[in-house]
Amino acid sequence: SSEVLEAIENVILDVLKSLAQEKAPVLTLANRSDWRNIEFKDSVGLQMMPRCTMKQIRSDCPRSALKFALMLKILSMIYKMVQSNTYATKRDIYYSDTLLFGSQTVVDNIINDISCMLKIPRRSLHILSTTKGFVAGNLSYTEEDGTKVNCTCSATVFTVPSNVQGIKNLISHAKFMLIVEKDATFQRLLDDDFCNKLFPCIMITGRGVPDLNTRLLVRKLWDTFQIPIFTLMDADPHGVEIMCIYKYGSVSMSFEVHQLTVPSIKWLGLLPSDLERLNICKDVLIPFTKQDQKKLASIQKRPYIACQPMWKKELEIMAASKLKAEIQVLTSLSSDYLSRVYLPNKLQFGGWL
Protein backbone atom coordinates (compact mmCIF):
# COMPACT_ATOMS: atom_id res chain seq x y z
CA SER A 1 0.00 0.00 0.00
CA SER A 2 2.89 2.38 0.69
CA GLU A 3 3.99 1.82 -2.94
CA VAL A 4 0.52 2.86 -4.20
CA LEU A 5 0.42 5.96 -1.96
CA GLU A 6 3.92 6.96 -3.09
CA ALA A 7 3.02 6.53 -6.77
CA ILE A 8 -0.05 8.79 -6.36
CA GLU A 9 1.96 11.36 -4.37
CA ASN A 10 4.54 11.51 -7.20
CA VAL A 11 1.78 12.26 -9.74
CA ILE A 12 0.39 15.06 -7.54
CA LEU A 13 3.89 16.47 -6.93
CA ASP A 14 4.41 16.71 -10.70
CA VAL A 15 1.09 18.58 -11.01
CA LEU A 16 2.14 21.00 -8.22
CA LYS A 17 5.59 21.55 -9.81
CA SER A 18 3.96 22.49 -13.11
CA LEU A 19 1.62 24.92 -11.36
CA ALA A 20 4.55 26.46 -9.46
CA GLN A 21 6.30 27.04 -12.78
CA GLU A 22 3.05 28.49 -14.20
CA LYS A 23 2.80 25.62 -16.70
CA ALA A 24 -0.36 23.66 -17.43
CA PRO A 25 -0.19 20.28 -15.61
CA VAL A 26 -0.14 17.15 -17.79
CA LEU A 27 -0.68 13.45 -17.00
CA THR A 28 1.36 11.09 -19.19
CA LEU A 29 0.63 7.40 -19.75
CA ALA A 30 1.24 4.64 -22.29
CA ASN A 31 -1.19 4.58 -25.20
CA ARG A 32 -2.79 1.26 -24.31
CA SER A 33 -5.25 1.12 -27.20
CA ASP A 34 -2.61 1.24 -29.96
CA TRP A 35 -1.67 -2.12 -31.56
CA ARG A 36 1.76 -0.63 -32.40
CA ASN A 37 2.53 -0.61 -28.66
CA ILE A 38 1.72 -4.31 -28.33
CA GLU A 39 3.99 -7.28 -28.87
CA PHE A 40 2.82 -10.89 -29.02
CA LYS A 41 4.65 -13.50 -26.98
CA ASP A 42 3.44 -17.07 -27.40
CA SER A 43 4.06 -17.94 -23.74
CA VAL A 44 2.31 -14.85 -22.34
CA GLY A 45 -0.07 -13.34 -24.89
CA LEU A 46 -0.44 -9.69 -25.88
CA GLN A 47 1.84 -7.53 -23.77
CA MET A 48 2.78 -3.87 -23.81
CA MET A 49 6.23 -3.09 -25.15
CA PRO A 50 8.72 -1.60 -22.65
CA ARG A 51 9.25 1.39 -24.97
CA CYS A 52 5.90 2.48 -26.32
CA THR A 53 4.21 5.64 -27.53
CA MET A 54 2.76 7.79 -24.77
CA LYS A 55 -0.34 9.95 -24.66
CA GLN A 56 -0.91 13.10 -22.65
CA ILE A 57 -4.00 14.15 -20.73
CA ARG A 58 -3.62 17.94 -20.70
CA SER A 59 -5.35 20.29 -18.27
CA ASP A 60 -5.29 23.23 -20.71
CA CYS A 61 -6.94 21.51 -23.67
CA PRO A 62 -10.77 21.63 -23.90
CA ARG A 63 -10.87 18.04 -25.22
CA SER A 64 -8.97 16.53 -22.29
CA ALA A 65 -9.45 18.99 -19.38
CA LEU A 66 -12.48 17.12 -18.02
CA LYS A 67 -10.66 13.79 -18.19
CA PHE A 68 -7.68 15.37 -16.39
CA ALA A 69 -10.00 16.54 -13.59
CA LEU A 70 -11.77 13.17 -13.33
CA MET A 71 -8.43 11.33 -13.13
CA LEU A 72 -7.37 13.54 -10.20
CA LYS A 73 -10.75 13.02 -8.54
CA ILE A 74 -10.47 9.19 -8.78
CA LEU A 75 -6.80 9.31 -7.69
CA SER A 76 -7.89 11.11 -4.52
CA MET A 77 -10.59 8.46 -3.90
CA ILE A 78 -8.03 5.65 -4.37
CA TYR A 79 -5.60 7.41 -2.02
CA LYS A 80 -8.23 7.61 0.74
CA MET A 81 -9.25 3.95 0.27
CA VAL A 82 -5.67 2.67 0.38
CA GLN A 83 -4.98 4.80 3.49
CA SER A 84 -8.07 3.50 5.30
CA ASN A 85 -7.77 -0.07 3.89
CA THR A 86 -11.29 0.06 2.43
CA TYR A 87 -12.47 -1.15 -0.97
CA ALA A 88 -15.01 0.02 -3.56
CA THR A 89 -16.36 -1.40 -6.80
CA LYS A 90 -16.22 0.54 -10.05
CA ARG A 91 -20.00 0.96 -9.70
CA ASP A 92 -19.56 2.48 -6.22
CA ILE A 93 -17.19 5.07 -7.70
CA TYR A 94 -19.61 5.92 -10.52
CA TYR A 95 -22.57 6.25 -8.14
CA SER A 96 -20.58 8.49 -5.77
CA ASP A 97 -21.16 11.27 -8.35
CA THR A 98 -23.14 10.19 -11.42
CA LEU A 99 -23.56 13.76 -12.69
CA LEU A 100 -19.83 14.39 -12.62
CA PHE A 101 -18.78 11.10 -14.25
CA GLY A 102 -21.61 10.90 -16.77
CA SER A 103 -21.38 7.13 -17.40
CA GLN A 104 -19.94 3.91 -16.01
CA THR A 105 -17.78 3.52 -19.16
CA VAL A 106 -16.00 6.82 -18.39
CA VAL A 107 -15.15 5.55 -14.88
CA ASP A 108 -13.99 2.13 -16.18
CA ASN A 109 -11.66 3.73 -18.75
CA ILE A 110 -10.18 6.18 -16.25
CA ILE A 111 -9.49 3.40 -13.72
CA ASN A 112 -7.67 1.39 -16.40
CA ASP A 113 -5.72 4.51 -17.43
CA ILE A 114 -4.71 5.17 -13.81
CA SER A 115 -3.62 1.54 -13.36
CA CYS A 116 -1.55 1.81 -16.56
CA MET A 117 -0.09 5.22 -15.60
CA LEU A 118 0.94 4.10 -12.08
CA LYS A 119 2.03 0.65 -13.36
CA ILE A 120 0.06 -0.88 -10.50
CA PRO A 121 -2.54 -3.70 -10.95
CA ARG A 122 -6.10 -2.56 -10.40
CA ARG A 123 -6.63 -4.86 -7.40
CA SER A 124 -3.82 -3.02 -5.55
CA LEU A 125 -5.72 0.25 -6.08
CA HIS A 126 -8.48 -1.13 -3.80
CA ILE A 127 -10.98 -1.07 -6.68
CA LEU A 128 -12.99 -4.26 -7.16
CA SER A 129 -14.66 -5.16 -10.42
CA THR A 130 -18.35 -5.93 -10.42
CA THR A 131 -18.44 -9.66 -11.19
CA LYS A 132 -20.80 -11.16 -13.73
CA GLY A 133 -19.11 -14.56 -14.24
CA PHE A 134 -20.31 -17.89 -12.81
CA VAL A 135 -18.42 -21.00 -11.68
CA ALA A 136 -19.70 -24.53 -11.00
CA GLY A 137 -18.44 -28.12 -10.78
CA ASN A 138 -15.72 -29.91 -8.87
CA LEU A 139 -14.26 -27.05 -6.85
CA SER A 140 -14.22 -25.73 -3.30
CA TYR A 141 -12.37 -22.76 -1.79
CA THR A 142 -12.42 -20.25 1.05
CA GLU A 143 -13.10 -16.58 0.28
CA GLU A 144 -11.02 -13.80 1.84
CA ASP A 145 -13.62 -13.16 4.57
CA GLY A 146 -13.63 -16.85 5.57
CA THR A 147 -16.78 -17.89 3.67
CA LYS A 148 -16.46 -21.49 2.50
CA VAL A 149 -17.70 -22.11 -1.05
CA ASN A 150 -18.36 -25.66 -2.23
CA CYS A 151 -19.45 -25.96 -5.85
CA THR A 152 -18.99 -29.77 -5.83
CA CYS A 153 -22.05 -30.87 -3.88
CA SER A 154 -24.82 -29.41 -5.97
CA ALA A 155 -25.92 -28.04 -9.29
CA THR A 156 -25.74 -24.58 -7.74
CA VAL A 157 -24.06 -21.78 -9.63
CA PHE A 158 -21.68 -19.54 -7.70
CA THR A 159 -20.71 -16.02 -8.72
CA VAL A 160 -17.01 -15.58 -9.38
CA PRO A 161 -15.55 -13.94 -6.23
CA SER A 162 -14.96 -10.18 -6.39
CA ASN A 163 -11.52 -10.57 -4.82
CA VAL A 164 -9.97 -13.54 -6.64
CA GLN A 165 -6.50 -12.83 -5.19
CA GLY A 166 -7.89 -13.34 -1.68
CA ILE A 167 -9.32 -16.87 -2.16
CA LYS A 168 -7.43 -19.77 -0.59
CA ASN A 169 -7.66 -23.52 0.21
CA LEU A 170 -8.61 -24.37 -3.38
CA ILE A 171 -9.49 -28.06 -3.72
CA SER A 172 -10.55 -29.88 -6.89
CA HIS A 173 -10.40 -33.35 -8.44
CA ALA A 174 -11.40 -31.98 -11.85
CA LYS A 175 -9.76 -33.50 -14.93
CA PHE A 176 -10.29 -30.38 -17.02
CA MET A 177 -11.85 -26.92 -17.07
CA LEU A 178 -14.49 -25.84 -19.57
CA ILE A 179 -14.97 -22.14 -20.35
CA VAL A 180 -18.45 -21.61 -21.79
CA GLU A 181 -19.19 -18.42 -23.72
CA LYS A 182 -22.86 -18.00 -22.84
CA ASP A 183 -24.95 -18.28 -19.72
CA ALA A 184 -27.74 -20.26 -21.48
CA THR A 185 -25.33 -23.03 -22.60
CA PHE A 186 -23.69 -23.06 -19.16
CA GLN A 187 -27.09 -23.52 -17.45
CA ARG A 188 -28.06 -26.24 -19.93
CA LEU A 189 -24.87 -28.23 -19.24
CA LEU A 190 -25.49 -27.81 -15.52
CA ASP A 191 -29.05 -29.15 -15.88
CA ASP A 192 -27.63 -32.17 -17.75
CA ASP A 193 -25.17 -32.75 -14.83
CA PHE A 194 -22.28 -32.48 -17.29
CA CYS A 195 -19.76 -31.62 -14.52
CA ASN A 196 -20.03 -35.18 -13.12
CA LYS A 197 -21.14 -37.33 -16.05
CA LEU A 198 -18.00 -38.02 -18.05
CA PHE A 199 -15.19 -36.82 -15.77
CA PRO A 200 -15.33 -34.38 -12.86
CA CYS A 201 -14.71 -30.89 -14.27
CA ILE A 202 -14.92 -27.18 -13.45
CA MET A 203 -17.17 -25.01 -15.60
CA ILE A 204 -16.82 -21.24 -15.91
CA THR A 205 -18.73 -18.66 -17.91
CA GLY A 206 -17.97 -14.96 -18.29
CA ARG A 207 -21.48 -14.59 -19.79
CA GLY A 208 -20.10 -13.07 -22.99
CA VAL A 209 -16.99 -10.89 -22.93
CA PRO A 210 -15.38 -11.88 -19.60
CA ASP A 211 -14.88 -9.35 -16.80
CA LEU A 212 -11.53 -9.04 -15.07
CA ASN A 213 -12.45 -11.31 -12.13
CA THR A 214 -13.50 -14.19 -14.39
CA ARG A 215 -10.19 -13.94 -16.27
CA LEU A 216 -8.27 -13.77 -12.97
CA LEU A 217 -10.10 -16.87 -11.68
CA VAL A 218 -9.34 -18.87 -14.85
CA ARG A 219 -5.66 -17.96 -14.44
CA LYS A 220 -5.66 -18.75 -10.69
CA LEU A 221 -7.25 -22.17 -11.30
CA TRP A 222 -4.70 -22.89 -14.03
CA ASP A 223 -1.79 -21.89 -11.73
CA THR A 224 -3.21 -24.06 -8.91
CA PHE A 225 -4.29 -27.23 -10.73
CA GLN A 226 -2.46 -27.21 -14.11
CA ILE A 227 -5.32 -29.07 -15.80
CA PRO A 228 -6.32 -28.74 -19.48
CA ILE A 229 -8.63 -25.79 -20.25
CA PHE A 230 -11.07 -25.98 -23.15
CA THR A 231 -13.39 -23.32 -24.59
CA LEU A 232 -16.91 -23.78 -25.89
CA MET A 233 -17.88 -20.76 -28.00
CA ASP A 234 -20.30 -19.89 -30.79
CA ALA A 235 -18.84 -20.46 -34.27
CA ASP A 236 -18.75 -16.76 -35.09
CA PRO A 237 -16.19 -13.91 -34.99
CA HIS A 238 -17.51 -12.69 -31.62
CA GLY A 239 -17.01 -16.15 -30.04
CA VAL A 240 -13.47 -16.39 -31.46
CA GLU A 241 -12.65 -12.92 -30.09
CA ILE A 242 -13.88 -13.88 -26.58
CA MET A 243 -11.76 -17.06 -26.66
CA CYS A 244 -8.70 -15.00 -27.69
CA ILE A 245 -9.26 -12.67 -24.70
CA TYR A 246 -9.05 -15.66 -22.30
CA LYS A 247 -6.05 -17.16 -24.14
CA TYR A 248 -3.99 -14.14 -25.22
CA GLY A 249 -5.53 -11.11 -23.49
CA SER A 250 -6.84 -7.84 -24.87
CA VAL A 251 -5.05 -4.77 -26.19
CA SER A 252 -6.61 -2.46 -23.59
CA MET A 253 -5.37 -4.61 -20.65
CA SER A 254 -2.01 -5.60 -22.19
CA PHE A 255 -0.17 -3.75 -19.40
CA GLU A 256 -1.48 -6.36 -16.93
CA VAL A 257 -1.34 -9.47 -19.11
CA HIS A 258 0.70 -11.75 -16.82
CA GLN A 259 -2.18 -12.40 -14.37
CA LEU A 260 -4.93 -12.51 -16.96
CA THR A 261 -4.06 -15.00 -19.72
CA VAL A 262 -3.65 -18.77 -20.12
CA PRO A 263 -1.93 -19.36 -23.48
CA SER A 264 -2.42 -23.16 -23.20
CA ILE A 265 -6.23 -22.83 -23.60
CA LYS A 266 -7.61 -25.08 -26.38
CA TRP A 267 -10.51 -24.45 -28.79
CA LEU A 268 -12.92 -27.36 -28.29
CA GLY A 269 -15.92 -26.03 -30.16
CA LEU A 270 -18.06 -25.04 -31.86
CA LEU A 271 -15.61 -25.29 -34.79
CA PRO A 272 -16.68 -24.02 -38.22
CA SER A 273 -15.51 -27.40 -39.60
CA ASP A 274 -17.91 -29.19 -37.19
CA LEU A 275 -20.89 -27.67 -39.00
CA GLU A 276 -20.03 -29.54 -42.21
CA ARG A 277 -18.86 -32.68 -40.42
CA LEU A 278 -22.15 -32.96 -38.50
CA ASN A 279 -24.26 -32.10 -41.58
CA ILE A 280 -25.87 -29.15 -39.83
CA CYS A 281 -28.66 -27.90 -42.05
CA LYS A 282 -27.82 -24.52 -43.66
CA ASP A 283 -31.30 -23.23 -42.76
CA VAL A 284 -30.34 -23.04 -39.05
CA LEU A 285 -27.12 -21.08 -39.73
CA ILE A 286 -27.02 -17.27 -39.65
CA PRO A 287 -25.62 -15.17 -42.53
CA PHE A 288 -22.72 -12.82 -41.72
CA THR A 289 -23.38 -9.13 -41.21
CA LYS A 290 -20.93 -6.47 -42.46
CA GLN A 291 -19.75 -6.12 -38.86
CA ASP A 292 -19.03 -9.88 -38.67
CA GLN A 293 -16.94 -9.68 -41.84
CA LYS A 294 -15.02 -6.70 -40.49
CA LYS A 295 -14.36 -8.39 -37.11
CA LEU A 296 -13.24 -11.65 -38.72
CA ALA A 297 -10.86 -9.83 -41.09
CA SER A 298 -9.38 -7.98 -38.08
CA ILE A 299 -8.91 -11.23 -36.10
CA GLN A 300 -7.24 -12.94 -39.09
CA LYS A 301 -4.58 -10.20 -39.16
CA ARG A 302 -3.69 -10.52 -35.47
CA PRO A 303 -0.18 -11.75 -34.59
CA TYR A 304 -1.36 -14.79 -32.61
CA ILE A 305 -3.31 -16.32 -35.53
CA ALA A 306 -0.05 -16.74 -37.50
CA CYS A 307 1.25 -19.22 -34.89
CA GLN A 308 -2.03 -21.20 -34.88
CA PRO A 309 -2.26 -22.83 -38.37
CA MET A 310 -5.29 -24.98 -37.37
CA TRP A 311 -7.17 -21.92 -36.07
CA LYS A 312 -6.25 -20.10 -39.27
CA LYS A 313 -7.89 -22.90 -41.31
CA GLU A 314 -11.08 -22.72 -39.22
CA LEU A 315 -11.29 -18.94 -39.71
CA GLU A 316 -10.83 -19.44 -43.47
CA ILE A 317 -13.75 -21.91 -43.48
CA MET A 318 -15.86 -19.33 -41.64
CA ALA A 319 -14.80 -16.53 -44.03
CA ALA A 320 -15.56 -18.64 -47.13
CA SER A 321 -19.03 -19.74 -45.93
CA LYS A 322 -20.01 -16.27 -44.57
CA LEU A 323 -22.21 -18.18 -42.12
CA LYS A 324 -22.14 -18.31 -38.33
CA ALA A 325 -23.70 -20.66 -35.79
CA GLU A 326 -24.62 -20.51 -32.12
CA ILE A 327 -23.90 -23.53 -29.90
CA GLN A 328 -27.69 -24.02 -29.64
CA VAL A 329 -27.62 -25.12 -33.31
CA LEU A 330 -26.70 -28.61 -32.03
CA THR A 331 -30.23 -28.98 -30.60
CA SER A 332 -31.36 -29.36 -34.24
CA LEU A 333 -29.73 -32.83 -34.04
CA SER A 334 -31.28 -33.68 -30.63
CA SER A 335 -32.14 -31.76 -27.48
CA ASP A 336 -29.24 -33.17 -25.41
CA TYR A 337 -26.76 -33.67 -28.28
CA LEU A 338 -24.25 -31.20 -26.78
CA SER A 339 -23.82 -32.98 -23.42
CA ARG A 340 -24.60 -36.55 -24.55
CA VAL A 341 -22.66 -36.82 -27.83
CA TYR A 342 -20.74 -33.71 -28.93
CA LEU A 343 -18.65 -32.92 -25.81
CA PRO A 344 -17.96 -36.57 -24.75
CA ASN A 345 -16.73 -37.43 -28.27
CA LYS A 346 -14.57 -34.31 -28.49
CA LEU A 347 -13.01 -34.90 -25.08
CA GLN A 348 -12.42 -38.64 -25.58
CA PHE A 349 -11.03 -38.46 -29.11
CA GLY A 350 -9.06 -35.20 -28.90
CA GLY A 351 -11.28 -33.02 -31.08
CA TRP A 352 -9.74 -29.71 -30.00
CA LEU A 353 -7.30 -27.26 -31.57
Side-chain angles (χ1 to χ4, degrees):
S1 61
S2 59
E3 191 188 316
V4 181
L5 296 175
E6 195 183 329
I8 295 171
E9 284 161 9
N10 288 337
V11 170
I12 302 307
L13 273 173
D14 284 344
V15 168
L16 293 172
K17 275 179 197 164
S18 299
L19 290 170
Q21 293 162 7
E22 296 187 358
K23 289 180 186 168
V26 169
L27 298 174
T28 308
L29 64 143
N31 193 348
R32 60 187 180 85
S33 57
D34 190 340
W35 272 95
R36 288 169 300 182
N37 284 338
I38 310 300
E39 60 181 353
F40 170 65
K41 219 174 168 188
D42 204 6
S43 59
V44 180
L46 299 174
Q47 62 179 10
M48 193 166 268
M49 292 178 185
R51 287 196 183 92
C52 57
T53 60
M54 308 300 276
K55 66 174 180 181
Q56 290 190 328
I57 315 293
R58 301 192 61 87
S59 60
D60 61 347
C61 166
R63 271 177 50 210
S64 61
L66 176 62
K67 186 169 183 178
F68 180 92
L70 294 181
M71 283 182 79
L72 289 191
K73 165 81 174 164
I74 293 177
L75 277 168
S76 79
M77 292 170 88
I78 292 168
Y79 194 86
K80 281 175 194 156
M81 287 192 296
V82 174
Q83 267 189 325
S84 59
N85 197 25
T86 53
Y87 288 80
T89 65
K90 293 187 297 180
R91 284 188 78 71
D92 293 335
I93 288 175
Y94 168 58
Y95 281 110
S96 71
D97 199 333
T98 53
L99 280 175
L100 177 68
F101 293 120
S103 77
Q104 183 70 58
T105 312
V106 167
V107 171
D108 296 355
N109 277 326
I110 287 176
I111 289 165
N112 286 340
D113 276 343
I114 286 172
S115 178
C116 181
M117 177 176 73
L118 300 178
K119 296 185 172 60
I120 289 170
R122 199 163 75 193
R123 298 167 298 292
S124 304
L125 302 178
H126 284 228
I127 295 172
L128 304 172
S129 303
T130 312
T131 300
K132 65 185 176 89
F134 289 147
V135 60
N138 196 290
L139 175 69
S140 65
Y141 56 85
T142 308
E143 290 199 7
E144 196 185 26
D145 64 359
T147 308
K148 287 184 167 57
V149 175
N150 190 352
C151 312
T152 310
C153 301
S154 60
T156 314
V157 167
F158 289 89
T159 305
V160 168
S162 58
N163 189 354
V164 173
Q165 301 307 99
I167 66 173
K168 49 190 183 289
N169 307 330
L170 288 96
I171 299 166
S172 177
H173 304 292
K175 298 290 179 222
F176 64 92
M177 216 186 320
L178 184 67
I179 298 171
V180 182
E181 179 186 348
K182 284 183 180 159
D183 193 19
T185 310
F186 181 85
Q187 298 289 351
R188 179 66 212 245
L189 289 172
L190 216 57
D191 293 344
D192 291 349
D193 195 28
F194 177 75
C195 292
N196 302 307
K197 258 187 186 159
L198 190 65
F199 305 106
C201 76
I202 299 167
M203 278 202 319
I204 289 182
T205 179
R207 298 163 78 199
V209 177
D211 58 88
L212 200 68
N213 291 329
T214 304
R215 291 169 65 189
L216 284 167
L217 182 63
V218 169
R219 176 63 198 232
K220 189 167 183 104
L221 293 173
W222 158 248
D223 286 339
T224 309
F225 303 118
Q226 300 278 308
I227 51 176
I229 304 180
F230 302 110
T231 59
L232 182 62
M233 306 279 152
D234 288 343
D236 66 10
H238 190 62
V240 174
E241 174 128 86
I242 288 170
M243 173 170 58
C244 292
I245 289 171
Y246 283 107
K247 187 175 171 77
Y248 295 126
S250 59
V251 174
S252 64
M253 293 299 289
S254 56
F255 62 94
E256 225 189 294
V257 68
H258 293 268
Q259 293 97 5
L260 294 174
T261 58
V262 184
S264 62
I265 283 172
K266 304 284 182 225
W267 187 3
L268 188 70
L270 189 61
L271 302 176
S273 59
D274 289 340
L275 304 174
E276 208 167 287
R277 185 175 60 82
L278 298 171
N279 289 322
I280 301 286
C281 175
K282 286 234 164 61
D283 297 351
V284 293
L285 303 179
I286 308 158
F288 261 25
T289 61
K290 276 207 172 81
Q291 209 178 348
D292 290 325
Q293 281 176 287
K294 207 171 153 188
K295 190 177 274 294
L296 182 58
S298 142
I299 292 168
Q300 285 176 303
K301 288 187 196 121
R302 288 184 196 168
Y304 44 69
I305 298 300
C307 70
Q308 290 281 0
M310 302 299 282
W311 283 31
K312 203 174 169 195
K313 260 187 201 162
E314 293 294 331
L315 298 184
E316 281 162 7
I317 293 170
M318 201 190 285
S321 74
K322 291 198 174 102
L323 292 168
K324 56 184 181 176
E326 296 185 331
I327 297 159
Q328 285 83 340
V329 83
L330 296 175
T331 56
S332 66
L333 301 171
S334 80
S335 63
D336 59 350
Y337 190 85
L338 176 66
S339 59
R340 187 175 52 84
V341 182
Y342 182 82
L343 289 175
N345 281 348
K346 284 250 170 183
L347 291 160
Q348 282 176 313
F349 301 112
W352 57 79
L353 303 177

